[in-house]
Amino acid sequence: MKVLVAVKRVVDYNVKVYPKADGSGVEIANVKMSMNPFDEIAVEEAVQLKELGKATEIIAASIGVSQCQEVLRTALAMGADRAVLIETDAAPEPLVVAKLLKALVEREQPGLVILGKQAIDDDCNQTGQMLAALLGWGQGAFASKLTLGEQEIEVIREIDGGLETVALKLPAVVTADLRLNEPRYVKLPNIIKAKKKPLETLSPGDLGVVLATQMTTLKVAEPPKREAGIKVADAAELVAKLRNDAKVI
Amino acid sequence: MKNILVIAEHDHATLKTATLNTVSAAQSIGGEIHILVAGSNCAGAAAASAKIPGVAKVLQADAGHYAHHLAEDLAVLIAGLAKDYSHVLAPATTFGKNLMPRVAALLDVTQLSDIVGVENADTFVRPIYAGSMLATVQCSAPVKVITVRSTAFAAAASEGGTAPVETVPAAAPLGVARFIGQELTKSERPELTAARIVVSGGRGMGSSEGFKLLEDIADQLGAAVGASRAAVDAGFAPNDYQIGQTGKIIAPELYIAAGISGAIQHLAGMKDSKIIVAINKDEEAPIFQITDYGIVGDLFKVLPELFAELDKLPPA
Ligand SMILES: Cc1cc2nc3c(=O)[nH]c(=O)nc-3n(C[C@H](O)[C@H](O)[C@H](O)COP(=O)(O)OP(=O)(O)OC[C@H]3O[C@@H](n4cnc5c(N)ncnc54)[C@H](O)[C@@H]3O)c2cc1C
Ligand SMILES: Nc1ncnc2c1ncn2[C@@H]1O[C@H](COP(=O)(O)O)[C@@H](O)[C@H]1O
């Protein structure tokens, strides 16, 4: 079975970002970029499925500027077999990303698509569910364990009250939560090998998708800052403050 | 103007509180509000919805295949109803986050996640980059499909209304997903997202036994227990305790963080708490930048002392 994995290039999770001076967006020039952490987990899961003999080929796909090749090379170094970049300078909304991925699914016919549950820049948490809807497939969103069978995949999902298990008919879409696995470190020989693996570049037009937008960002600003308070010496002083000043206990 | 549809989150018998916060977000958009209760034997939740003041109508879709809130099946139903509405809102819980993007895609519209503010009927405020920034976004979609962050909107009243309950037909099941089971964390304590006080532990708690110190204090205070991602990953606490960018978002009256460093991904989930307390042995820990009261010290010493002090405290 082929597995398709979607990887997004985002501002590294360790970087503190700021609004642009004119408030029109987020300043991302000269900022360290990386693969979205949830997508690393998605790639790792696909690679483990291949190591278990359950996946035959792993295709990594990214949508965005030409530098997305870097995150695709990382996916290849982790163990993906080939990569597809759908190149655009626009920052497409999740619905458009889902449409592009759907077109790719129709071309590649994977048995399983794995995405991250959430991109840590826009914090949308939408694309996987949208892709599943467009394909009419089942969705295992926020997955913390996968068991891949012949006809079905069993997915343990992280939900507000605990864990839920669902079985989805294959083909299906899954989105990776934090505890699905721990992504491997890529070793230097694999980085070198990854340079020789195929990386194809397409345009949205090649896939017949129009980049429509339904959302305009009017303003980006920092939320009001919280002031640091005081240090208290011990538990007794803390309890007194909470009772008499803050009046919360 | 068309009406607003709120998707109820419920357990068939009762409503989840986040539904009330979502109704309140709908009220700030303005317009007639309808609530959809889709479930199996869900007359109880429909009756509870009818009592919310300001709700004009309750739609009840009752079918066996809605028993486990499978997004695949619910989305078909909601997309079918949505064309009569200007906005469709659900809470930004794992229920709403799983469901609403699927609804939006079936309607071929974009979706707004986790709104914290309503500017007008098509302009909303939502956090991005782990809440380190707020984006004001305008949406041109004919139906606005939205999830609502419950901490940003006060809960609507739950008594006083008398809306009619109308039955709507269920949609045919899609047949691509099957519910197998659930493993819910059992606790006598209040629910994390609704608790007035939350005590939370991080990697510094050292073990699940360490968490016992927090649980005792939680029981003294009638509080819920939370955790950082590091504590959950290490197995000290169950996954549904996680607070943060990718866990639960809470804003209690009092948040006590023990052995938590204060990574931005954690702050994203609790920085709107009214009073924040941190106990950390490292005085440089970033959490102290947002605490009202900080104690620099070893939590294995401070927490038992705190327990003893609270024990001595006369009732308020
Ligand atoms: C994509 C992504 C999503 C994430 N989502 C979340 C999320 O939703 N929620 C979340 O919490 N994190 C999240 N994280 C992880 C986050 O970046 C931090 O790694 C995590 O919050 C750290 O947890 P911690 O503070 O418990 O551990 P640490 O950072 O290791 O801090 C432990 C603290 O305990 C203190 N300590 C140790 N021993 C003692 C003692 N005996 N007494 C007192 N203090 C002590 C130390 O001084 C230290 O400050 C996410 C990360 C990524 C990449
Ligand atoms: N531009 C993109 N390129 C590749 N994958 C993407 C892109 N945008 C979103 N995704 C995938 O969809 C997931 C959820 O993203 P989002 O819905 O934006 O939070 C991510 O973790 C990725 O797996």
Side-chain angles (χ1 to χ4, degrees):
Chain A
M1 167 194 292
K2 279 198 211 176
V3 179
L4 177 68
V5 186
V7 296
K8 186 176 186 186
R9 176 178 179 264
V10 298
V11 172
D12 187 85
Y13 81 98
N14 267 317
V15 173
K16 163 104 181 82
V17 283
Y18 297 93
K20 286 184 181 157
D22 64 0
S24 64
V26 178
E27 189 54 78
I28 57 166
N30 304 317
V31 163
K32 183 182 176 206
M33 306 293 283
S34 303
M35 190 192 297
N36 183 39
F38 289 98
D39 305 352
E40 279 183 54
I41 299 172
V43 175
E44 175 64 34
E45 195 65 15
V47 174
Q48 289 187 14
L49 287 173
K50 193 172 173 201
E51 286 167 350
L52 286 169
K54 295 193 169 177
T56 49
E57 188 187 23
I58 301 166
I59 306 144
S62 190
I63 294 140
V65 294
S66 72
Q67 291 90 324
C68 292
Q69 289 185 30
E70 294 156 20
V71 294
L72 288 172
R73 289 290 170 205
T74 306
L76 294 169
M78 287 176 75
D81 297 292
R82 58 190 172 88
V84 180
L85 168 63
I86 305 172
E87 195 173 334
T88 165
D89 288 337
E93 291 163 16
L95 180 64
V96 177
V97 174
K99 287 181 180 177
L100 290 164
L101 291 173
K102 175 179 183 249
L104 204 55
V105 165
E106 280 158 0
R107 198 184 76 156
E108 300 287 352
Q109 303 283 321
L112 183 67
V113 186
I114 313 180
L115 301 89
K117 93 160 173 185
Q118 178 173 344
I120 60 162
D121 49 1
D122 62 26
D123 282 335
C124 276
N125 192 334
Q126 298 173 5
T127 309
Q129 297 89 312
M130 288 182 156
L131 175 62
L134 297 177
L135 292 163
W137 294 2
Q139 62 184 53
F142 330 142
S144 72
K145 189 176 189 316
L146 304 183
T147 313
L148 186 57
E150 292 289 318
Q151 311 290 330
E152 277 191 340
I153 182 167
E154 222 174 83
V155 183
I156 300 185
R157 309 178 50 230
E158 297 207 3
I159 58 168
D160 285 336
L163 296 169
E164 171 181 284
T165 309
V166 291
L168 310 173
K169 268 201 187 133
L170 290 169
V173 174
V174 162
T175 75
D177 212 323
L178 291 170
R179 282 163 284 275
L180 184 57
N181 59 51
E182 235 178 275
R184 66 196 62 196
Y185 286 103
V186 283
K187 299 195 192 84
L188 189 61
N190 290 342
I191 296 175
I192 295 165
K193 253 196 277 173
K195 291 194 174 127
K196 299 208 184 73
K197 291 187 179 176
L199 192 161
E200 179 188 8
T201 301
L202 300 172
S203 74
D206 294 338
L207 293 166
V209 177
V210 187
L211 299 189
T213 53
Q214 297 180 355
M215 198 101 80
T216 318
T217 299
L218 303 180
K219 189 175 88 181
V220 169
E222 281 186 282
K225 270 218 165 52
R226 225 189 144 100
E227 296 297 318
I230 58 166
K231 295 267 170 34
V232 292
D234 54 26
E237 191 185 346
L238 175 66
V239 168
K241 293 275 183 210
L242 292 177
R243 165 65 57 103
N244 304 322
D245 296 357
K247 300 189 169 43
V248 287
I249 59 170
Chain B
M1 190 169 143
K2 286 184 176 177
N3 302 329
I4 301 177
L5 183 66
V6 169
I7 312 302
E9 181 170 359
H10 61 86
D11 62 5
H12 311 284
T14 58
L15 280 182
K16 297 267 160 83
T17 338
T19 309
L20 298 173
N21 306 88
T22 308
V23 167
S24 138
Q27 281 163 343
S28 59
I29 295 170
E32 192 172 304
I33 297 169
H34 299 176
I35 296 195
L36 172 70
V37 178
S40 173
N41 298 320
C42 57
S49 304
K51 286 194 201 134
I52 304 172
V55 169
K57 189 156 81 176
V58 178
L59 309 179
Q60 184 185 346
D62 218 302
H65 58 282
Y66 298 145
H68 302 293
H69 311 291
L70 289 174
E72 290 84 347
D73 292 334
L74 288 177
V76 180
L77 170 74
I78 298 166
L81 296 168
K83 57 184 183 310
D84 296 330
Y85 292 91
S86 59
H87 299 75
V88 184
L89 274 63
T93 53
T94 51
F95 164 79
K97 290 176 181 172
N98 186 34
L99 173 61
M100 296 305 265
R102 190 155 183 127
V103 171
L106 293 181
L107 294 167
D108 195 26
V109 297
T110 196
Q111 196 236 287
L112 287 138
S113 295
D114 231 357
I115 63 158
V116 296
V118 175
E119 301 272 293
N120 56 49
D122 66 9
T123 307
F124 304 89
V125 182
R126 58 175 303 266
I128 54 173
Y129 287 89
S132 60
M133 269 171 296
L134 294 174
T136 306
V137 291
Q138 189 172 31
C139 175
S140 66
V143 186
K144 275 86 179 157
V145 179
I146 295 171
T147 61
V148 175
R149 180 174 289 196
S150 50
T151 53
F153 298 89
S158 58
E159 295 288 339
T162 51
V165 178
E166 202 174 276
T167 304
V168 293
L174 201 59
V176 292
R178 193 159 51 86
F179 174 84
I180 305 235
Q182 265 182 355
E183 210 181 294
L184 300 184
T185 307
K186 284 196 192 65
S187 168
E188 299 294 308
R189 299 188 193 98
E191 209 192 316
L192 248 183
T193 49
R196 205 179 64 79
I197 303 177
V198 173
V199 291
S200 202
R203 198 196 308 271
M205 300 306 301
S207 64
S208 46
E209 293 77 58
F211 256 75
K212 185 82 179 53
L213 292 171
L214 287 181
E215 287 163 9
D216 292 343
I217 290 171
D219 292 339
Q220 279 176 316
L221 293 170
V225 180
S228 72
R229 173 192 173 181
V232 176
D233 284 3
F236 306 166
N239 65 282
D240 57 306
Y241 280 31
Q242 183 177 311
I243 290 162
Q245 179 185 21
T246 54
K248 291 205 171 77
I249 311 281
I250 59 170
E253 298 261 298
L254 173 61
Y255 185 82
I256 302 178
I260 294 180
S261 62
I264 176 150
Q265 293 86 4
H266 185 77
L267 304 190
M270 45 61 75
K271 69 177 160 46
D272 293 327
S273 306
K274 193 166 149 243
I275 299 288
I276 299 175
V277 171
I279 301 160
N280 197 303
K281 65 178 180 191
D282 171 12
E283 76 178 304
E284 301 291 323
I287 187 105
F288 286 128
Q289 291 165 18
I290 62 151
T291 49
D292 298 280
Y293 304 109
I295 297 188
V296 180
D298 185 343
L299 64 90
F300 294 106
K301 183 169 159 287
V302 176
L303 288 178
E305 285 171 5
L306 181 57
F307 182 86
E309 289 297 327
L310 289 170
D311 218 31
K312 287 193 288 199
L313 196 67

